[in-house]
Amino acid sequence: MDALTGKFRELYEEWAKATGNLLTWDRLSDLLTALVLLSVMLFVARRARRSIGRLTQLESNQRLLVQRLASFTFTTLGFALALDQLGFDIKVLLGAAGVLTVAVGFAAQTSASNLISGFFLIFERPFVVGQTVDVGGLRGEVIAIDLLSTKIRTFNNLIVRIPNETLVKSQITNFSHYPIRRIELNIGVAYGSNLDVVESTIARVLDQHPRVLKNPPPRILMQGFGASSLDFIVYAWAATELAIDLPSELYREIEAAFRTEKIEIPFPTRTLVVQHVGASADANANLNRPQVLSQLVDE
Amino acid sequence: MEVSHELSSWWGRQVFVAGRADLWQIGSLNVQVERSGRAWHFAHDYVSWSESLRQGRLSTTPHGQWPKARRISGVTSLLQSAEAPPHRSVLTSRPTLRSRPISASAEGFDLIFQPSLLERTYVASLLSPISLAPEEKLSLAVKVPLSLRIDGTTGTGALRPLFEVPLEDVQDTWHGPAPREGELAWACPSDRESLERFPSQLSERMGEMNSGLGHVIVAVEIRNSGPLRILEHFPIPCPQLSLFHATKTGFWTDRLSLEWTAFGQWHKRPERQPPKECGSHQLVAHPRSQASEPAIKALRGLMNHNMFRER
């Protein structure tokens, strides 16, 4: 092998001398080695990207980020090794890169902050694409989580771009994180209603509705004595995607069931007592008994 | 004009005539199918037991068996709602119409009715709770509703699933130790009637069990590897089971081993073959999904780590 290399070296040096080529055998050897190193590292970077792309356990955003990181790492390493082989002092380059990083860091502070926040969002996953969230009062569906910003489509079909830094600092409510949600129904019945009948009627409606979860079981609680009604609160569990429509369905069915059971749903009433100033004691005594003059619907 | 006839079996190829609305009655399920120029339309509802008895659809046998499936051709179209409101159709309630668009070049009006297992875990409840001593084993046969899947053409020739619905009006439930941990599952609204206990006499009773329409039998072996416990309900992971059909004994799934661990969790292990009581059988459908390997589960758990998750 050495003999063969030696023969090549001799041939090359003769050719270089004849043609006036200044590139020595050693330099050529370093150049070729550097090229091979760079090619190998670029190949490894490409393979790594593909392998990571096949990891189905990762979310698409996470996968993209890991792919970019792997690709960047191997490519940088390849260039560093190649430069080292060519005789460049890597320490000097790293030092220069450090200074450059600080300079760029100052210049692009906001972008860097958003970028780092993007990393947090992608790996800590307070939400994923497709989920419904509330960020500082803005409610909508997450349609993209990018490195610098997150895009949310509101329910009236507007796209809102929120910088990732803002998201990290904000309180986020994720409505889609768990597959089930508890819904609440507020129901009032007239004073004098049979409370057992009221409870059993509500329970029957909940039990018969196929989309109300059997487990966790619904709860029916009396909340108190309202201004015009005996107030109940009903807690029922349902699949998250039904949380908007199901209360409406249940209210309608409970109303129908109440009508069948002759349970009255009262509306707010106001009783006016009119008292005549200066009237005789007998007249006032009569008027002290509440006398309903009219019922006004309280807006 | 409505023409009704009994079907020898509710699954298989159904020849559909364009421009006509047909209704299939399979057990408590009503499915109406229509095809307009650009779409297939499906609507369904369920008949209650009391309504079925009133209609004469349900016999008064001790087990309340449903009669054979029936097809009624030429029912009132749901698409012409202005002229024929839904209450005039055979469907009892106001059904939701689901449409599947088809390409202009779509050929063929045949529909394939396929039996399939539910797409979610089914939570079976016991008629009366059973106490299980440590290391005690229990063999049960559980009757689980099947789903009806309708395949048809939406383009040129190729059959695609168009519609799927459980054959019984199953109810949503949650299977898990807490609302933050578990899965959305199905339960039988009539609660505990679906389950019978057959310790070591499965073969004697299976004919009786499988007489119902649109059910599959799941042979389950439950082992308690924790302390003494009261068993009230347990999960049947339908998406992880294969579906088999035996001419004599009806529909079956893979045998299922359930281990109730000391931590109150269920380890579910399908055994990839039906019980021997099934007899001569053929495979109808492979599992919809495979159970995750522990390593994959652990990795997924790691990746799904969430700062908002309660611990």
Side-chain angles (χ1 to χ4, degrees), chain B residues 186-227:
Chain B
W186 292 119
C188 206
S190 45
D191 206 5
R192 292 152 201 273
E193 69 173 357
S194 65
L195 184 74
E196 293 183 43
R197 188 185 181 189
F198 297 109
S200 71
Q201 46 174 311
L202 180 62
S203 54
E204 293 167 29
R205 301 283 301 276
M206 70 189 173
E208 188 184 304
M209 273 193 85
N210 231 352
S211 58
L213 196 67
H215 283 93
V216 59
I217 296 183
V218 186
V220 188
E221 188 179 86
I222 299 173
R223 186 168 74 89
N224 178 18
S225 61

Side-chain angles (χ1 to χ4, degrees), chain A residues 64-137:
Chain A
L64 192 68
L65 191 65
V66 176
Q67 273 181 318
R68 282 178 184 168
L69 276 176
S71 179
F72 179 75
T73 306
F74 285 118
T75 309
T76 310
L77 200 62
F79 275 106
L81 288 171
L83 289 173
D84 186 47
Q85 188 65 35
L86 292 174
F88 286 91
D89 190 350
I90 295 295
K91 286 177 198 163
V92 175
L93 282 177
L94 285 176
V99 172
L100 193 70
T101 307
V102 172
V104 170
F106 273 115
Q109 205 174 9
T110 311
S111 300
S113 170
N114 280 323
L115 190 77
I116 292 164
S117 304
F119 278 100
F120 276 108
L121 285 176
I122 286 171
F123 280 99
E124 293 189 348
R125 303 203 333 158
F127 49 77
V128 293
V129 172
Q131 290 187 328
T132 302
V133 294
D134 182 300
V135 183

Side-chain angles (χ1 to χ4, degrees), chain A residues 37-172:
Chain A
L37 280 171
L38 185 61
S39 306
V40 167
M41 292 315 284
L42 288 177
F43 176 75
V44 171
R46 204 168 150 183
R47 294 291 299 179
R49 271 183 81 94
R50 282 191 187 171
S51 304
I52 294 162
R54 283 196 287 266
L55 285 177
T56 50
Q57 286 84 7
L58 295 177
E59 285 285 323
S60 58
N61 282 324
Q62 292 174 335
R63 203 161 47 225
L64 192 68
L65 191 65
V66 176
Q67 273 181 318
R68 282 178 184 168
L69 276 176
S71 179
F72 179 75
T73 306
F74 285 118
T75 309
T76 310
L77 200 62
F79 275 106
L81 288 171
L83 289 173
D84 186 47
Q85 188 65 35
L86 292 174
F88 286 91
D89 190 350
I90 295 295
K91 286 177 198 163
V92 175
L93 282 177
L94 285 176
V99 172
L100 193 70
T101 307
V102 172
V104 170
F106 273 115
Q109 205 174 9
T110 311
S111 300
S113 170
N114 280 323
L115 190 77
I116 292 164
S117 304
F119 278 100
F120 276 108
L121 285 176
I122 286 171
F123 280 99
E124 293 189 348
R125 303 203 333 158
F127 49 77
V128 293
V129 172
Q131 290 187 328
T132 302
V133 294
D134 182 300
V135 183
L138 180 86
R139 195 172 290 196
E141 181 196 355
V142 179
I143 56 167
I145 307 167
D146 297 326
L147 281 177
L148 293 179
S149 66
T150 294
K151 288 166 192 78
I152 291 177
R153 187 180 69 84
T154 63
F155 294 126
N156 44 1
N157 215 23
L158 303 173
I159 293 285
V160 182
R161 178 190 177 276
I162 305 175
N164 286 338
E165 188 189 3
T166 312
L167 271 173
V168 167
K169 287 177 186 168
S170 304
Q171 179 177 309
I172 302 168

Side-chain angles (χ1 to χ4, degrees), chain A residues 57-58 62 124-126 177-180 206-207 209-216 237 239 242, chain B residues 169-174 179-180 184 186-189 191 296 299 303-309:
Chain A
Q57 286 84 7
L58 295 177
Q62 292 174 335
E124 293 189 348
R125 303 203 333 158
H177 183 71
Y178 295 120
I180 56 170
L206 297 174
D207 189 49
H209 199 290
R211 300 288 77 87
V212 174
L213 299 188
K214 283 176 85 72
N215 181 46
W237 289 81
L242 300 173
Chain B
D169 194 6
V170 284
Q171 187 169 7
D172 285 350
T173 192
W174 182 250
R180 65 175 186 275
L184 206 54
W186 292 119
C188 206
D191 206 5
I296 299 286
L299 183 62
M303 295 314 299
N304 287 347
H305 167 75
N306 194 297
M307 67 176 172
F308 295 118
R309 188 165 291 167

Side-chain angles (χ1 to χ4, degrees), chain B residues 27 36 44 47 53 65 76 121-122 172 192 238 243 253 261 276 304 311:
Chain B
S36 63
H44 78 283
V47 192
L53 280 168
Q65 293 162 14
T76 310
T121 291
Y122 180 84
D172 285 350
R192 292 152 201 273
C238 293
L243 179 64
T253 67
T261 67
K276 61 179 187 304
N304 287 347
R311 294 184 179 88

Side-chain angles (χ1 to χ4, degrees), chain B residues 125-138:
Chain B
S125 301
L126 284 161
L127 198 59
S128 51
I130 297 170
S131 63
L132 273 183
E135 295 307 320
E136 190 182 354
K137 284 184 181 176
L138 173 69

